[in-house]
């Protein structure tokens, strides 16, 4: 069963939210703090080692209860159950959306096409575990008998961003394996990596759900040609494995069936790091840490599935984003981790969020007449303070932001951590208060404040907490999609550009640019003069 299609603007709660917005839109939310000492308690959630303070937002208690009304009216709970139960909620592709099953309890049962997917999941996990052990113990050797010490992941989008972000973020958990990622079709990307590695000790993982992505296949061919300059065809099985839902195509490429790791069409590419797509994570951090990442995500799944809306972290974050996106018309959202190891986190979220919710059509196939998908961006603090924070503080645009910080440093010392975190707390306070209490008598120096932020304080950055953090955003994305009445799990919007690129590639080969508009025609002639 698919998700029901309800235009949020036609609910009873929406005009109430509109009226409520009209009442408070000119308020300065710092005034709410002055009137209510208990505001931080009212608008915060403690969950395990996470503490979310969402009190620095343009909200009152009524805002939350109106969103609760909206969620009840659209029967949000039943959408959540359909999602977890494996209903085919990705209707345009007729697929379930079950990345949650990858981190669920082994005893659960979900049948897809009459097959309990948990047996497939545990088979795949065992295969990852055994393979990881064989590489890390040195029982799997390279073609000249040396141990493998380098892993190169060849993939793009969801077959790249998740694993590379996780490995970078958890570098303190890394073992001796060096990891590299080749994604871009830009030949300088692949050549830059090949310059650094030794074919005798490198394992290549070709990761492509479809095994049709031109970037990945071109890069994989280039890498194989390079490898064969140093080794023989029969050495390939020791050095090339593939992750795909299209095992046939992987085998056609030359990968031995026993060297393939299955993935399934019920796992979306951008939510696939929990699947065999995470093989590089397991190799680089060890299988136990990969398992802990999954466990952390599983805990967030239970929190999301079972907590009431007002105490539900992903639900609250999503409602706040609807509040800003659809009522205040703030269309972008910044994510600022105060942790240098999370420097790729916002880049990762850009795909999971914007490829999911950048949609113009509702679940009934009509063009929507309201805003969907937010623009997600960000950088780590404090670096971001010295680049774009000027605009956050004094610009004419309001950018709601998530500040993510940790109680404990990783290996950094306490002095650094206290300075880092003092900045973390100071920024959200400055964004809220501005200089309202101490007018500057000089507009250039005035901070108007009233800029909303969420503060997420987590115990420490670990495989488990990172798993929970990623899953938290996954469920926020789901919740937004349900409220906006869109289909979050397809990505037709990337197809047109791919088709045109393939046509233009043919035109570049033939030198005939006559079929194009005058701009594209002139550009192609500038790029490749034909006479
Ligand atoms: O950009 C479109 C997309 O299909 C993403 O959704 C996906 O993560 C990426 O391309 C890579 O796809 P594949 O894993 O099939 O190579």
């Amino acid at each position: 069963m698919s998700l029901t299609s309800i235009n949020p603007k036609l609910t009873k709660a929406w005009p109430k939210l509109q009226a409520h917005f009209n009442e408070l839109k000119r308020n300065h939310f710092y005034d709410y703090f002055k009137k209510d000492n208990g505001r931080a308690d009212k608008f915060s959630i403690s969950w395990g080692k996470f503490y979310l303070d969402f009190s620095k937002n343009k909200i009152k208690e009524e805002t939350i209860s109106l969103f609760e009304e909206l969620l009840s009216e659209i029967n949000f709970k039943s959408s959540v159950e359909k999602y977890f139960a494996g209903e085919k909620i990705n209707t345009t592709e007729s697929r379930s959306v079950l990345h949650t099953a990858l981190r669920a309890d082994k005893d659960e049962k979900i049948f897809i096409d009459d097959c309990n997917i948990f047996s497939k999941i545990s088979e795949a996990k065992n295969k990852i575990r055994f393979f990881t052990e064989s590489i890390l113990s040195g029982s799997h050797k390279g073609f000249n008998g040396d141990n493998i010490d380098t892993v190169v992941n060849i993939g793009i989008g969801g077959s790249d961003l998740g694993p590379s972000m996780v490995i970078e973020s958890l570098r303190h958990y890394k073992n001796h394996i060096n990891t590299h990622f080749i994604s871009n079709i830009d030949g300088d990307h692949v050549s830059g990596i090949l310059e650094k590695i030794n074919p005798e000790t490198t394992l290549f993982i070709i990761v492509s759900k479809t095994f049709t992505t031109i970037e990945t296949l071109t890069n994989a061919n280039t890498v194989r040609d390079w490898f064969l300059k140093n080794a023989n065809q029969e050495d390939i099985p020791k050095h090339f494995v593939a992750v795909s839902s299209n095992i046939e195509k992987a085998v056609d490429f030359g990968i031995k069936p026993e060297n393939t790791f299955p993935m399934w069409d019920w796992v979306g590419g951008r939510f696939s790091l929990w699947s065999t797509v995470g093989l590089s994570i397991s190799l680089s951090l060890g299988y136990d840490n990969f398992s802990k990442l999954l466990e952390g995500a599983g805990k967030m799944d239970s929190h999301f599935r079972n907590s009431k809306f007002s105490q539900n972290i992903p639900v609250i974050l999503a409602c706040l984003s609807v509040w800003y996106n659809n009522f205040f018309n703030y269309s972008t959202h910044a994510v600022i981790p105060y942790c240098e190891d999370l420097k790729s986190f916002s880049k990762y979220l850009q795909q999971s969020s914007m490829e999911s919710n950048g949609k113009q059509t509702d679940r009934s196939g009509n063009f929507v007449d309201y805003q969907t998908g937010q623009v997600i961006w960000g950088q780590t603090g404090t670096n971001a303070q010295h680049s774009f924070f000027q605009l956050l503080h004094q610009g004419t645009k309001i950018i709601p932001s998530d500040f993510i910080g940790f109680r404990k440093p990783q290996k950094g010392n306490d002095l650094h951590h206290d300075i880092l975190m003092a900045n973390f707390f100071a920024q959200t306070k400055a964004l809220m208060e501005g200089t309202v209490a101490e007018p500057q008598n000089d507009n250039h120096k005035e901070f108007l404040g009233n800029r909303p932020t969420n503060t997420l304080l987590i115990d420490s950055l670990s495989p488990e907490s990172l798993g929970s953090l990623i899953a938290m955003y996954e469920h926020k994305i789901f919740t937004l999609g349900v409220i906006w009445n869109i289909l979050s799990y397809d990505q037709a919007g990337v197809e047109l550009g791919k088709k045109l690129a393939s046509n233009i590639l043919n035109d570049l080969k033939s030198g005939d640019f006559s079929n194009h508009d005058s701009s594209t025609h002139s550009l192609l002639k500038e790029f490749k003069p034909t006479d």
Side-chain angles (χ1 to χ4, degrees):
M1 257 202 310
S2 55
L3 301 179
T4 42
S5 176
I6 300 174
N7 180 339
K9 284 176 75 180
L10 300 182
T11 59
K12 290 190 191 120
W14 197 270
K16 290 190 198 169
L17 278 162
Q18 187 63 52
H20 175 61
F21 163 75
N22 289 337
E23 258 170 42
L24 61 62
K25 66 183 176 195
R26 279 184 236 293
N27 294 352
H28 198 299
F29 72 83
Y30 183 37
D31 290 336
Y32 303 155
F33 278 88
K34 289 192 229 152
K35 286 185 196 137
D36 179 4
N37 274 338
R39 184 172 167 85
D41 288 339
K42 279 184 196 133
F43 298 110
S44 57
I45 302 174
S46 282
W47 172 76
K49 291 176 177 167
F50 280 44
Y51 176 77
L52 172 70
D53 175 347
F54 59 101
S55 61
K56 293 193 184 86
N57 277 294
K58 300 185 171 187
I59 55 167
K60 291 180 164 182
E61 280 161 286
E62 193 187 343
T63 322
I64 302 300
S65 50
L66 287 174
F67 270 104
E68 284 178 313
E69 259 185 71
L70 175 71
L71 293 170
S72 305
E73 211 179 327
I74 61 172
N75 212 353
F76 179 69
K77 265 272 165 221
S78 94
S79 298
V80 172
E81 283 319 305
K82 287 179 185 170
Y83 168 40
F84 280 89
E87 304 281 348
K88 296 199 169 168
I89 62 170
N90 174 358
T91 44
T92 43
E93 297 178 327
S94 190
R95 289 175 181 170
S96 308
V97 176
L98 274 173
H99 45 277
T100 51
L102 299 164
R103 57 243 188 166
D105 219 313
K106 272 202 280 207
D107 303 330
E108 287 206 31
K109 282 196 173 63
I110 296 178
F111 287 86
I112 299 222
D113 302 329
D114 294 332
C115 173
N116 180 13
I117 60 167
F118 284 93
S119 50
K120 291 186 181 181
I121 293 172
S122 40
E123 242 175 71
K125 281 186 182 168
N126 281 338
K127 193 163 183 182
I128 297 177
R129 183 152 56 88
F130 288 132
F131 189 67
T132 302
E133 279 161 13
S134 72
I135 294 286
L136 298 184
S137 68
S139 66
H140 178 121
K141 305 271 186 219
F143 67 86
N144 75 349
D146 281 350
N147 291 350
I148 297 293
D149 61 12
T150 302
V151 167
V152 177
N153 187 96
I154 307 171
I156 196 165
S159 298
D160 165 75
L161 289 164
S164 60
M165 180 276 288
V166 168
I167 292 171
E168 183 179 86
S169 303
L170 297 176
R171 72 187 173 90
H172 288 300
Y173 294 79
K174 260 180 75 48
N175 53 33
H176 63 281
I177 300 282
N178 297 310
T179 348
H180 300 282
F181 286 83
I182 300 175
S183 52
N184 204 322
I185 190 63
D186 180 351
D188 286 326
H189 194 186
V190 57
S191 67
I193 303 291
L194 294 181
E195 275 163 20
K196 294 185 198 155
I197 60 174
N198 173 1
E200 294 168 5
T201 57
T202 300
L203 175 83
F204 298 97
I205 314 176
I206 307 171
V207 187
S208 177
K209 182 176 169 186
T210 54
F211 227 84
T212 57
T213 305
I214 187 166
E215 290 92 335
T216 302
L217 295 189
T218 310
N219 281 327
N221 273 314
T222 301
V223 167
R224 184 177 52 187
D225 291 348
W226 170 85
F227 178 81
L228 288 174
K229 284 190 188 133
N230 302 282
N232 298 316
Q233 190 68 34
E234 56 272 21
D235 299 324
I236 293 241
K238 294 194 174 92
H239 291 266
F240 284 79
V241 300
V243 172
S244 187
S245 63
N246 196 341
I247 300 291
E248 230 172 72
K249 276 213 174 334
V251 171
D252 286 350
F253 178 87
I255 305 294
K256 288 231 173 232
E258 59 272 28
N259 284 346
T260 59
F261 292 77
M263 68 177 295
W264 308 280
D265 66 7
W266 39 265
V267 179
R270 53 191 172 274
F271 304 105
S272 64
L273 68 90
W274 322 100
S275 71
T276 47
V277 170
L279 181 60
S280 57
I281 302 176
S282 176
L283 289 167
S284 169
L285 310 178
Y287 184 80
D288 286 352
N289 284 322
F290 180 57
S291 267
K292 284 187 189 142
L293 184 82
L294 267 60
E295 259 171 51
K299 287 185 180 161
M300 180 55 76
D301 294 343
S302 308
H303 166 74
F304 175 62
R305 202 171 174 182
N306 302 318
S307 308
K308 58 179 185 178
F309 298 149
S310 61
Q311 286 300 304
N312 194 315
I313 298 178
V315 168
I316 289 292
L317 294 178
C319 291
L320 288 167
S321 284
V322 173
W323 188 227
Y324 293 129
N325 196 58
N326 297 81
F327 294 90
F328 284 89
N329 284 326
Y330 303 156
S331 56
T332 91
H333 185 96
V335 177
I336 327 273
Y338 273 62
C339 171
E340 197 50 26
D341 288 340
L342 286 176
K343 58 179 170 289
S344 297
F345 192 65
S346 57
K347 186 168 84 165
Y348 164 77
L349 279 184
Q350 282 176 331
Q351 188 207 12
S352 59
S353 178
M354 291 159 80
E355 197 167 75
S356 297
N357 286 338
K359 303 289 165 62
Q360 59 188 7
T361 326
D362 71 15
R363 286 201 282 272
S364 305
N366 306 309
F367 287 120
V368 296
D369 62 353
Y370 48 86
Q371 288 293 314
T372 65
Q374 297 169 296
V375 179
I376 302 288
W377 59 289
Q379 207 203 98
T380 54
T382 58
N383 292 8
Q385 290 174 205
H386 297 273
S387 79
F388 57 76
F389 267 43
Q390 165 64 38
L391 189 147
L392 297 197
H393 284 288
Q394 286 188 313
T396 52
K397 293 178 178 56
I398 305 289
I399 319 276
S401 313
D402 292 348
F403 280 66
I404 303 169
F406 296 89
R407 291 189 184 96
K408 294 182 205 125
Q410 305 226 63
K411 293 204 172 147
N413 70 29
D414 287 347
L415 169 69
H416 281 257
H417 198 61
D418 281 352
I419 299 175
L420 174 77
M421 294 306 282
N423 275 277
F424 175 78
F425 298 118
Q427 288 299 324
T428 58
K429 188 171 164 65
L431 286 162
M432 168 175 73
E433 288 178 12
T435 46
V436 176
E438 292 170 58
Q440 302 297 297
N441 299 322
D442 172 355
N443 287 349
H444 294 293
K445 297 203 169 126
E446 210 69 73
F447 289 61
L448 299 175
N450 206 22
R451 285 150 204 256
T453 57
N454 297 311
T455 305
L456 184 60
L457 195 55
I458 304 172
D459 217 35
S460 62
L461 180 59
S462 64
E464 193 174 331
S465 67
L466 183 63
S468 299
L469 182 68
I470 299 169
M472 177 191 92
Y473 279 106
E474 288 179 347
H475 298 316
K476 175 184 173 185
I477 290 164
F478 168 84
T479 308
L480 284 170
V482 174
I483 297 177
W484 285 329
N485 195 30
I486 54 177
L487 292 166
S488 301
Y489 298 101
D490 61 12
Q491 54 286 319
V494 297
E495 295 308 321
L496 179 61
K498 283 190 200 170
K499 197 168 123 204
L500 294 184
S502 145
N503 295 346
I504 290 176
L505 185 60
N506 288 333
D507 298 342
L508 287 174
K509 282 181 198 149
S510 72
D512 178 3
F513 308 145
S514 57
N515 266 339
H516 294 283
D517 61 90
S518 62
S519 163
T520 311
H521 183 266
S522 308
L523 288 166
L524 290 172
K525 270 181 69 175
E526 284 290 330
F527 177 61
K528 264 209 176 142
T530 42
D531 45 24

